[in-house]
Amino acid sequence: MFSTSQISVINVYSGKIKKILKSKGVERGDRIRIKKGSKIYEGILMPRIQLGDRDSLVIKLENGYNIGLRYSDNVEIELISKHKKVGKKELKPIKYDKNKPRISILSMGGTIASRVDYRTGGVVPRFTAEELIEDVPELREIANIYGRQVESILSENMEFKDYKKLIREVKKEIENGVDGIIITHGTDTLHYTAAALSFALENLPIPVILVGAQRSSDRASSDGPMNLICATQFIAKSDFGEIGVCMHATESDDYCFIHPACKIRKMHTSRRDAFRTINSKPWAKVYPDGRIEFLKEDYVRRDAKRKLVVKDKFEEKTALVKVHPSISPKIIDVLVKEKYRGLVIEGTGLGHAPSGIKDSLKRFLKSGIVVMTSQCLDGRINMNVYSTGRELQEIGVIPGEDMLPEVAYIKLSWLLGNYKDKREIKRLIKTNLRGEISERSEF
Ligand code: GLU
């Protein structure tokens, strides 16, 4: 383990490189161009890798990868742009414009609020909602923008307590009388949070739009600013009154989709258009200049007079298990032993699980509830076609219709947290409450 000061000492380049960088006015974090022979590399100067060669320059390329280039006489270094100083900016006061809507940005963390840490070379969530707003001045031309940081975490670290905290903050903003809320969030588990908010916030009077980014703000290809602008335009220029997710619709900077909160999934690890609406259609296309094309019209219109009802309990003893060939029944038995109350199975095909776990599922079902979803994601559960499906239904497994596994998991946890009667929970799991189940499968 190294302390911060030790790291900065370790991450220095050789005297030769330091001298040349100094003469060009280049510091860690600056965007530089390196010409080596006939090849040209462009990226951000990173610290030297701890055990790396002191004579090799490390740069982060636009595709996110770091490369090391050994310095020699045929290497030319050119400064393209200086890095932004983090956390030193002062927000200029902006005059309230009564002709513009009031929008609050609540920041949870993730790539959209991240910068490359030039000390360690990793990406860390480290800037506040205020800095985010300052970075995208266009937002203030569209609306009166307020910003507040709720958390600063990577979304894979989120827990039910974080949903609860966010729900409380959303409620506060609604009570403050804003016209819409934007939540900036890590993309990895954004769809879980979107579902949690959808179930917990009943009778929502104003729109709540979740926004993420696949590329941090240091990178020329960052998608965060456009996603934020489109979300702001959508709130300012539409009558939408639900929870939605605003992300790049294509790999270019042309328009964003507003996805339905309970029908969305991250389908690519790095592309900017990673999010896809599953088993439905996006609500709308939004262009950064404010044009909006609705693709579906059956959304809930906003109504500031609607009285919000908050149901924010979640049963933590709920599990989501993906089955696979050779799965051990012991995995289910552990849940029985630990007194889990809810289990969502990410089954195969139409909603199947290997016969080898049937007895364990029977034991779970003595006091718990089991819901079946599919690893296929697209399409609907039908447990009447094959014997494995029929047998699971006979022991009490509930078909989860066309719900996404993650949404079924959040919904079951929420139902177990807020409702007492088991029969009622079983009825509600199959009932469409927030757009999580389509009546018919058209997709
Ligand atoms: N894994 C992080 C998160 O989900 C960063 C990924 C992202 O925001 O796109 O918060």
Side-chain angles (χ1 to χ4, degrees), residues 110-111 154-156 186-188 213-214:
T111 295
L154 296 171
S155 71
E156 57 271 37
T187 58
D188 285 8
Q214 288 279 79

Side-chain angles (χ1 to χ4, degrees), residues 108 151 155 158-169 185 189 191-194 196-197 200 312 314 409-410:
M108 292 298 281
E151 307 232 18
S155 71
M158 284 190 85
E159 297 175 9
F160 287 114
K161 67 171 172 37
D162 302 301
Y163 300 154
K164 283 191 166 194
K165 189 168 175 190
L166 179 58
I167 290 160
R168 269 201 308 275
E169 296 301 321
H185 197 289
T189 70
H191 53 311
Y192 288 85
T193 305
L197 292 175
D312 66 349
F314 295 92
Y409 163 71
I410 293 288

Side-chain angles (χ1 to χ4, degrees), residues 2-255:
F2 298 96
S3 72
T4 310
S5 57
Q6 278 171 319
I7 288 174
S8 56
V9 173
I10 286 163
N11 285 338
V12 291
Y13 289 104
S14 69
K16 187 166 55 173
I17 294 191
K18 259 202 319 208
K19 224 157 127 195
I20 175 106
L21 290 176
K22 200 166 171 212
S23 73
K24 303 268 177 190
V26 174
E27 295 170 301
R28 278 185 297 184
D30 293 349
R31 184 171 289 277
I32 58 172
R33 187 173 295 130
I34 300 178
K35 201 161 168 257
K36 188 171 180 159
S38 60
K39 292 224 163 85
I40 294 178
Y41 305 89
E42 208 175 295
I44 296 166
L45 180 66
M46 303 303 291
R48 183 176 67 84
I49 301 157
Q50 212 165 300
L51 301 173
D53 175 5
R54 293 184 76 223
D55 281 330
S56 285
L57 287 152
V58 179
I59 61 168
K60 187 176 274 297
L61 299 174
E62 188 44 42
N63 61 15
Y65 292 110
N66 291 355
I67 56 160
L69 294 165
R70 196 168 164 78
Y71 186 76
S72 59
D73 290 343
N74 68 343
V75 168
E76 285 171 36
I77 301 172
E78 189 193 332
L79 172 68
I80 303 177
S81 57
K82 297 295 290 175
H83 66 279
K84 289 180 194 157
K85 296 263 184 286
V86 181
K88 298 239 168 71
K89 270 188 233 159
E90 283 218 349
L91 261 190
K92 291 174 219 85
I94 299 277
K95 267 211 344 239
Y96 176 71
D97 182 343
K98 65 175 180 7
N99 298 315
K100 290 179 185 163
R102 305 197 317 153
I103 298 178
S104 268
I105 300 185
L106 299 177
S107 169
M108 292 298 281
T111 295
I112 190 157
S114 294
R115 289 203 168 112
V116 176
D117 183 338
Y118 302 115
R119 196 170 48 77
T120 63
V123 175
V124 289
R126 73 137 57 128
F127 64 118
T128 62
E130 284 89 348
E131 285 174 311
L132 205 70
I133 296 163
E134 189 77 345
D135 257 25
V136 194
E138 295 92 327
L139 301 180
R140 289 182 147 155
E141 285 163 24
I142 310 165
N144 294 292
I145 303 280
Y146 310 89
R148 205 142 49 76
Q149 185 156 329
V150 178
E151 307 232 18
S152 181
I153 56 174
L154 296 171
S155 71
E156 57 271 37
N157 292 330
M158 284 190 85
E159 297 175 9
F160 287 114
K161 67 171 172 37
D162 302 301
Y163 300 154
K164 283 191 166 194
K165 189 168 175 190
L166 179 58
I167 290 160
R168 269 201 308 275
E169 296 301 321
V170 168
K171 180 171 180 269
K172 243 190 248 168
E173 289 308 307
I174 292 173
E175 286 164 358
N176 285 343
V178 297
D179 300 295
I181 298 170
I182 291 175
I183 297 167
T184 55
H185 197 289
T187 58
D188 285 8
T189 70
L190 189 144
H191 53 311
Y192 288 85
T193 305
L197 292 175
S198 300
F199 291 111
L201 300 169
E202 218 164 74
N203 253 352
L204 192 67
I206 56 164
V208 175
I209 308 294
L210 288 108
V211 176
Q214 288 279 79
R215 317 264 165 88
S216 62
S217 68
D218 322 68
R219 296 171 59 188
S221 61
S222 175
D223 47 335
M226 190 181 114
N227 295 344
L228 268 175
I229 291 169
C230 287
T232 308
Q233 293 282 25
F234 188 63
I235 292 177
K237 302 200 167 85
S238 80
D239 57 354
F240 187 79
E242 297 199 25
I243 298 176
V245 175
C246 182
M247 292 292 290
H248 263 58
T250 72
E251 264 286 77
S252 332
D253 287 330
D254 39 14
Y255 58 91

